[in-house]
Amino acid sequence: MTTPPIVTQQIKAEISYWKREFERCKQLREPFEKQWLVNLAFYFGKQYVIWTPVTSSLSNQTLTEPLTPKHRVRITANRIRPLIRRELAKFTKNEPTWYCSPASTEPEDVAAAKIAEKITEYYLRELNFDRYRRQSTFWMLICGTSFMKTYAVSTTDKDTQQTVSTLRIDPISPMHIYVRDIQEEDLYRQPYVIHGRNVPVETVESTYGVKIAGTNSTSLPPAEAKLQNALGIRNSSKDVDKDMCFLMEIWVNPCKKYPEGALLTIANDQLVDVYDDPTEPIETAKMDVLEGETKKWSDSSIPFKHGMYPFIKYDHIPAGRFYGDSNIVDQISLQVEYNRTRSQIVESKNRMARPQMYFEKGSIDPRKITSEPGLMIPVQPGFAYPRAAEMPPLPSYVLEEQTRIVRDMDENAGQNDISRGMVPPGIHAASAISYLQ
């Protein structure tokens, strides 16, 4: 059955509407995304980066390391990575405890709750929940917020030709989630949630049974490519994006336009799927023409009985907004000062090991002076010998500054000797050590 022209026009209008909403969400998220990229750069040891050009939008900016003279020292003593590793170990060392409450004290309900607990434990084990929880926790520590997505994938059994649904869990970085209301902390109160990421065209075609053009027309690259772009890394291959498309899953809460909520899937500029009630004919479920000229996608809905988004949101440090904050934000200025102090100490050491020299003009040829042991330096008759410039010693407070910075970073991260596995003196019982750690 061919789609009526009015339906086709409405589909184009719907795609345009959601593309505008996506761009609006992307602009609202831009200040947070810049901070996330800086956090990632510092975690990976890129700690001398700056945004260039400053006045441009994020899509045109890159994180670059400015050039410095050869004699300048740039020491990177990355203390952020160990802090994040300890935080990650603290969050994931204990498995979460799951329990099901019986609906009543009747033996049947109590037995059903026990069975539900066993089923939950089985699925969490089979789905490798601990591994995905660790990945999601990593993004939470780096960016301040992360997500977990639960969904089902339907496949056809080759022998029985029956459709089998398999549960899956995906850790999602905040780079791939877009919301409309930044001030609303609760994920489930957002009017809609957009899960956008780059996926292979072949995957979309096999999943939704539609033909997709391989040109990626959306200006947003995936999180990994965007990080590489922010760090100034360029892929020399010109065919990288030809087989990729930008896929947007748009989850909508019930509203006037979508009374039962909605799930729309758009790949590039093409609507590939609108979830509807499978008991209704597909032709009528796509769109109803109601109230004269007013059109509504009234038969679409969310494919879950609970009617909620399939995302779980994790926040590290509450910030009074949708996106939480990361401890790295407080550590960056201290890390920069720590690197600067270490670099100054090394520069001073280099100057003392190879001091600057005073010499009378014409007495020697400076180009012939090297660090070779036993070097004979010719000096013109009648001239004074070269002498080393006096170097004042480093003040003690400069050396002590490193200790103060390390202490401040540990206090900001809430870490101490116990969290590092160091036991205070006088404590020997295993239970007491386990409790402290």
Side-chain angles (χ1 to χ4, degrees):
M1 179 176 178
T2 59
T3 305
I6 184 65
V7 176
T8 303
Q9 295 175 10
Q10 184 66 15
I11 289 176
K12 291 182 179 180
E14 195 73 10
I15 293 174
S16 300
Y17 169 77
W18 284 114
K19 289 186 67 175
R20 291 193 302 269
E21 290 297 307
F22 171 75
E23 291 297 328
R24 183 179 301 176
C25 295
K26 190 167 69 170
Q27 292 177 3
L28 290 173
R29 204 190 69 175
E30 185 170 299
F32 307 101
E33 192 170 337
K34 292 182 68 174
Q35 185 63 56
W36 299 339
L37 294 172
V38 173
N39 293 352
L40 280 167
F42 269 74
Y43 176 80
F44 288 119
K46 303 289 186 178
Q47 298 178 354
Y48 291 91
V49 294
I50 59 173
W51 286 104
T52 57
V54 179
T55 58
S56 179
S57 62
L58 178 61
S59 59
N60 298 323
Q61 286 183 320
T62 57
L63 278 173
T64 58
E65 293 184 318
L67 299 177
T68 58
K70 293 182 179 180
H71 66 274
R72 295 302 303 271
V73 177
R74 274 183 174 174
I75 294 294
T76 301
N78 192 353
R79 299 195 58 84
I80 289 181
R81 191 192 292 253
L83 291 176
I84 295 300
R85 289 177 59 191
R86 287 195 289 268
E87 287 275 314
L88 184 61
K90 185 191 302 183
F91 274 97
T92 58
K93 70 175 183 177
N94 295 325
E95 296 184 3
T97 302
W98 305 89
Y99 62 91
C100 298
S101 300
S104 67
T105 57
E106 296 294 329
E108 294 81 2
D109 292 337
V110 174
K114 292 181 179 179
I115 294 174
E117 287 184 359
K118 296 298 181 181
I119 293 175
T120 302
E121 293 175 359
Y122 167 78
Y123 273 113
L124 292 177
R125 183 174 61 253
E126 291 296 314
L127 296 175
N128 294 319
F129 176 77
D130 288 339
R131 183 180 68 180
Y132 296 131
R133 180 170 65 97
R134 182 180 178 87
Q135 296 176 14
S136 182
T137 304
F138 168 80
W139 284 109
M140 180 192 70
L141 296 175
I142 295 294
C143 303
T145 297
S146 66
F147 303 87
M148 291 269 282
K149 181 181 180 183
T150 57
Y151 60 101
V153 176
S154 298
T155 57
T156 303
D157 189 274
K158 295 181 179 180
D159 299 329
T160 62
Q161 297 300 318
Q162 294 181 351
T163 302
V164 180
S165 295
T166 304
L167 289 177
R168 286 190 181 179
I169 300 176
D170 282 347
I172 302 176
S173 77
M175 301 279 189
H176 297 144
I177 296 294
Y178 303 84
V179 295
R180 181 66 180 86
D181 190 357
I182 299 295
Q183 296 181 348
E184 177 56 61
E185 296 184 56
D186 192 347
L187 172 69
Y188 303 107
R189 291 186 177 181
Q190 292 289 340
Y192 58 82
V193 176
I194 300 177
H195 181 200
R197 72 277 189 197
N198 273 25
V199 297
V201 173
E202 182 181 356
T203 301
V204 178
E205 293 178 348
S206 61
T207 302
Y208 299 100
V210 294
K211 187 68 176 177
I212 300 295
T215 303
N216 190 345
S217 61
T218 305
S219 59
L220 179 77
E224 295 81 9
K226 198 164 189 178
L227 174 61
Q228 290 184 0
N229 180 64
L231 295 175
I233 302 173
R234 296 291 186 272
N235 198 314
S236 59
S237 175
K238 297 182 179 180
D239 300 329
V240 173
D241 294 333
K242 285 187 176 181
D243 296 329
M244 304 291 290
C245 67
F246 188 73
L247 186 71
M248 290 192 299
E249 287 184 6
I250 305 168
W251 300 80
V252 188
N253 258 338
C255 57
K256 183 177 180 181
K257 189 175 184 180
Y258 306 95
E260 299 182 4
L263 169 58
L264 299 87
T265 306
I266 298 175
N268 289 351
D269 297 331
Q270 184 174 345
L271 182 68
V272 297
D273 185 67
V274 177
Y275 182 83
D276 50 33
D277 189 347
T279 62
E280 295 186 7
I282 188 66
E283 292 80 13
T284 61
K286 284 295 182 182
M287 186 186 70
D288 286 344
V289 181
L290 304 176
E291 301 176 6
E293 296 298 326
T294 304
K295 291 87 179 176
K296 294 182 179 180
W297 296 62
S298 58
D299 284 342
S300 59
S301 61
I302 291 180
F304 300 106
K305 292 182 179 180
H306 53 65
M308 302 171 67
Y309 300 137
F311 304 100
I312 302 173
K313 178 170 171 276
Y314 296 94
D315 286 329
H316 188 201
I317 302 176
R321 58 178 186 249
F322 180 77
Y323 296 110
D325 216 345
S326 171
N327 186 45
I328 297 180
V329 176
D330 299 327
Q331 304 288 4
I332 286 178
S333 59
L334 294 172
Q335 178 69 68
V336 170
E337 186 61 32
Y338 187 82
N339 290 340
R340 183 184 295 117
T341 302
R342 288 289 298 271
S343 300
Q344 291 171 350
I345 292 174
V346 173
E347 285 185 4
S348 178
K349 179 204 69 173
N350 293 341
R351 284 194 295 267
M352 290 181 178
R354 296 188 60 183
Q356 297 171 332
M357 305 291 292
Y358 292 122
F359 69 94
E360 294 183 11
K361 188 176 181 179
S363 62
I364 62 173
D365 185 359
R367 294 173 298 180
K368 294 183 179 180
I369 297 179
T370 65
S371 58
E372 177 186 352
L375 177 68
M376 303 296 292
I377 303 176
V379 180
Q380 295 292 338
F383 288 93
Y385 294 149
R387 60 186 178 88
E390 295 183 2
M391 294 291 298
L394 278 175
S396 60
Y397 64 81
V398 175
L399 302 176
E400 295 170 357
E401 180 66 15
Q402 296 181 95
T403 304
R404 287 192 291 268
I405 293 175
V406 171
R407 184 173 61 248
D408 291 341
M409 295 182 74
D410 290 341
E411 290 180 357
N412 285 345
Q415 299 185 6
N416 46 43
D417 293 342
I418 295 176
S419 64
R420 295 192 185 95
M422 302 172 63
V423 182
I427 297 179
H428 305 288
S431 58
I433 295 174
S434 176
Y435 178 78
L436 289 174
Q437 295 180 346

